[in-house]
Amino acid sequence: IVKKLPDMQIRLVSDGYDEIVIDGNDLSLKEEEKETTTALIKGVLAGAKERGYAVGGFQAYITSDVLIGAGLSSSAAFETVIGTIVSYLYNDGTIDAVTIAIIGQYAENVYFGKPCGLMDQMASSIGGLINIDFEDPQSPKIKKVEVDFEEYGHSLCIVDTKGSHADLTDDYAAIPYEMKKVANYFNQEALREVDKDDFYLNLPKIREILGDRAVLRAMHLFEENKRVDQQVKALEEGDFDTFKKLIKESGDSSFKYLQNVYSSHDLTNQSVSIGLAISDISLGDKGVSRVHGGGFAGTIQAFVPNDIVSMYKKNMEHVFGEGACHVLKVRPYGGMKVL
């Protein structure tokens, strides 16, 4: 719920949290504000202003059922809300969904201090199930994938394994950093520009220079890009069994090669690993699960046949507590003005 204010003051209350007050005349980057909600708000306003859009004061009250800090893109959803407010209050709704996503990423990278990609922001801003090609990050190719999991007798379950995403920025940052180092070995900026055969021919030397984890993460990317195309094709052809098989392969690759299921800095806490193990035991060959989002802590996703959702939910909540398992619907739209 939002209204314009006559000055440049931003007053925002997010349900359950204290009011945040910001002077919109000062959108400067401040080191002490990094990793705060204030940084995200200022970053979105500054990003919009830098792109020539009008910004101004507003008062807003925000509620959300997105789990905070659990890998469900809560920060991207928040950035989308602020970007949508700026678009409709001050720009007649002319800031398109892709631009709002790019501004959100700018806020998170520069102001918040997390070197994330653009995927979470794009999913939140556009809505629905989408396939994105990021070859040109400033103009990504987006394709809507029409699918209703109910048609296949399955539910999408998200399980909060109660691991916090706090203090994991370095773990996240290491993934693109190491992949780019491999690309740089071939004088490229991104791994997608590297020929896979050249990579394997040079693998011994890359291991020697960059270490084994960077090599394994590069191997994951080469195969994962291929799997994404196969997943989209399977959904478009109504082949849900193949889709589930590919989801499982993707999750296994994340665990073994991308290595984003637990932090190497805290080996005693592996809640996501526990969630995946309990899921494998509970689902058998009927459903599949994988790490969700950036990983290291937080949530897992599972595609569960409707007739065993209650059993799956009971098993997961026995381990992670009441309310840990959420049966979700994919929202078909992104940031929008309702009234």
Side-chain angles (χ1 to χ4, degrees), residues 103-315:
I103 290 170
Q105 183 197 23
Y106 168 82
E108 193 147 347
N109 288 173
V110 178
Y111 276 70
F112 191 83
K114 181 178 175 181
C116 68
L118 186 56
M119 183 177 66
D120 289 1
Q121 287 79 6
M122 203 67 77
S124 293
S125 187
I126 294 171
L129 196 65
I130 54 176
N131 174 222
I132 317 171
D133 186 333
F134 289 110
E135 184 172 16
D136 179 358
Q138 296 306 309
S139 184
K141 297 171 189 167
I142 301 156
K143 180 169 73 169
K144 285 262 188 181
V145 182
E146 301 297 338
V147 61
D148 180 2
F149 297 123
E150 283 293 325
E151 287 181 20
Y152 302 105
H154 280 68
S155 293
L156 170 60
C157 297
I158 297 291
V159 181
D160 182 6
T161 67
K162 305 300 170 79
S164 172
H165 273 206
D167 303 320
L168 290 174
T169 297
D170 289 346
D171 290 286
Y172 295 126
I175 291 177
Y177 174 80
E178 290 176 12
M179 288 187 176
K180 283 179 181 175
K181 283 290 185 184
V182 176
N184 294 161
Y185 175 88
F186 295 94
N187 297 315
Q188 301 291 348
E189 281 301 306
L191 262 180
R192 67 178 295 152
E193 298 161 353
V194 175
D195 182 83
K196 188 169 78 169
D197 292 338
D198 284 347
F199 166 77
Y200 282 108
L201 283 171
N202 286 275
L203 194 147
K205 193 66 177 174
I206 300 170
R207 285 185 66 199
E208 183 184 324
I209 297 170
L210 299 177
D212 287 343
R213 192 172 69 172
V215 167
L216 288 165
R217 285 175 164 171
M219 291 168 71
H220 167 80
L221 182 133
F222 284 124
E223 298 307 314
E224 187 70 0
N225 277 351
K226 202 165 56 179
R227 264 191 297 268
V228 169
D229 291 337
Q230 292 169 346
Q231 287 170 7
V232 171
K233 183 172 181 284
L235 287 176
E236 289 177 339
E237 293 177 352
D239 186 353
F240 201 69
D241 285 339
T242 295
F243 171 74
K244 286 200 300 181
K245 175 176 169 287
L246 291 163
I247 287 288
K248 185 64 176 171
E249 288 177 9
S250 174
D252 289 346
S253 181
S254 283
F255 205 151
K256 291 191 291 187
Y257 308 133
L258 188 63
Q259 299 182 19
N260 70 332
V261 170
Y262 58 87
S263 171
S264 59
H265 301 109
D266 188 8
L267 297 176
T268 59
N269 290 312
Q270 298 192 33
S271 59
V272 173
S273 307
I274 295 291
L276 294 171
I278 298 297
S279 295
D280 284 347
I281 293 165
S282 300
L283 297 173
D285 59 0
K286 294 181 179 178
V288 295
S289 66
R290 58 154 296 137
V291 61
H292 182 80
F296 297 110
T299 55
I300 64 171
Q301 61 173 247
F303 292 92
V304 184
N306 289 336
D307 60 348
I308 60 171
V309 165
S310 58
M311 176 274 290
Y312 180 75
K313 183 176 171 68
K314 181 181 177 183
N315 288 353

